[in-house]
Amino acid sequence: MKTEKMLKSLLIPVISFMALQSCAQKDNTVKPKKETKTMTTNKANLDTATFGTGCFWCTEAVFQELEGVEKVTSGYSGGSVANPTYRQVCTGTTGHAECLNIVYDTTKISFDELLEVFWQVHDPTTLNRQGADAGTQYRSVIFYHNDEQKAKAEKYKTALDKSGAWDNPVVTAIDKFDVFYPAEDYHQNYYTNNPEQGYCQFVIRPKVEKFEKVFKNKLKKH
């Protein structure tokens, strides 16, 4: 039943979240490296989802608005280099994807609902590309933390492919979570902290506004 509901919501015109300019134009000032963090959650009712949807600035702002989401951290996962810097990840040689580590309250929002947002806030059919951003660091990926998350991700991916929600096949990778490295401090809460910056006004804001219209019943009450 949950799969059918998600498919119905995605079979309506898929929201266009394509970037108007390259995310790679970000300030890539080198900051001190962070320590390795596995981002495990021990508090009752809290769980973690880790998604790669291209530029983390854009989708960080989206997931932060969801009721039940406790914390969203931008960072890197899926690569072979420990404690990578943004500049290193941008070379595409570390194997890491820009991604989000999302801590959420399972009594308020489910992994299924997070997946529904995940599929709609980026294009899961473009290999190693989101809009003007190209490279393996911008790949579409779900890093599953347990067998249940893996099964759900695979089920929805298969169902979406069969549904014809997109003209092209879904290429989202479904990989086992290993380690998450938080990005430099200036990447965190970027949209909130830099609302007047050009990228925020012309790229992120339109995406957030479209998201708010589609998912208005899932937003935090302000």
Side-chain angles (χ1 to χ4, degrees), residues 165-185:
W166 288 275
D167 293 333
N168 299 313
V170 175
V171 296
T172 301
I174 300 174
D175 298 333
K176 185 176 182 179
F177 175 85
D178 183 17
V179 177
F180 176 83
Y181 299 100
E184 294 83 345
D185 289 343

Side-chain angles (χ1 to χ4, degrees), residues 23-72:
C23 191
Q25 295 174 4
K26 304 176 229 181
D27 172 15
N28 54 10
T29 304
V30 177
K31 297 290 183 179
K33 293 181 180 180
K34 300 280 187 178
E35 294 182 358
T36 303
K37 295 185 179 181
T38 55
M39 307 300 285
T40 54
T41 302
N42 297 317
K43 187 177 177 181
N45 299 327
L46 293 187
D47 205 346
T48 304
T50 306
F51 297 147
T53 56
C55 173
F56 45 35
W57 283 359
C58 300
T59 46
E60 176 196 63
V62 165
F63 282 99
Q64 285 176 331
E65 291 220 37
L66 289 170
E67 178 65 31
V69 169
E70 298 285 322
K71 184 177 182 180
V72 181

Side-chain angles (χ1 to χ4, degrees), residues 13-197:
V14 178
I15 310 169
S16 174
F17 284 94
M18 306 301 287
L20 299 177
Q21 64 186 85
S22 175
C23 191
Q25 295 174 4
K26 304 176 229 181
D27 172 15
N28 54 10
T29 304
V30 177
K31 297 290 183 179
K33 293 181 180 180
K34 300 280 187 178
E35 294 182 358
T36 303
K37 295 185 179 181
T38 55
M39 307 300 285
T40 54
T41 302
N42 297 317
K43 187 177 177 181
N45 299 327
L46 293 187
D47 205 346
T48 304
T50 306
F51 297 147
T53 56
C55 173
F56 45 35
W57 283 359
C58 300
T59 46
E60 176 196 63
V62 165
F63 282 99
Q64 285 176 331
E65 291 220 37
L66 289 170
E67 178 65 31
V69 169
E70 298 285 322
K71 184 177 182 180
V72 181
T73 305
S74 291
Y76 319 111
S77 195
S80 58
V81 176
N83 299 303
T85 63
Y86 172 70
R87 181 169 294 183
Q88 288 175 311
V89 173
C90 276
T91 66
T93 61
T94 68
H96 289 289
E98 286 195 20
C99 58
L100 303 173
N101 221 58
I102 303 163
V103 177
Y104 62 101
D105 185 338
T106 58
T107 66
K108 297 180 180 179
I109 191 169
S110 66
F111 185 68
D112 300 76
E113 291 174 303
L114 291 175
L115 281 176
E116 182 180 357
V117 175
F118 167 83
W119 296 118
Q120 290 212 40
V121 297
H122 77 301
D123 186 346
T125 70
T126 53
L127 185 63
N128 302 326
R129 174 183 291 277
Q130 287 299 312
D133 297 318
T136 57
Q137 66 271 31
Y138 299 115
R139 65 188 182 272
S140 173
V141 57
I142 297 169
F143 292 105
Y144 63 88
H145 289 254
N146 51 53
D147 290 340
E148 182 181 10
Q149 287 189 356
K150 179 183 180 183
K152 288 183 176 181
E154 290 177 340
K155 179 181 70 174
Y156 287 127
K157 178 180 176 180
T158 300
L160 286 168
D161 256 338
K162 290 181 178 179
S163 73
W166 288 275
D167 293 333
N168 299 313
V170 175
V171 296
T172 301
I174 300 174
D175 298 333
K176 185 176 182 179
F177 175 85
D178 183 17
V179 177
F180 176 83
Y181 299 100
E184 294 83 345
D185 289 343
Y186 69 95
H187 287 302
Q188 309 301 332
N189 302 306
Y190 194 85
Y191 179 63
T192 300
N193 294 333
N194 303 275
E196 302 307 316
Q197 198 259 8

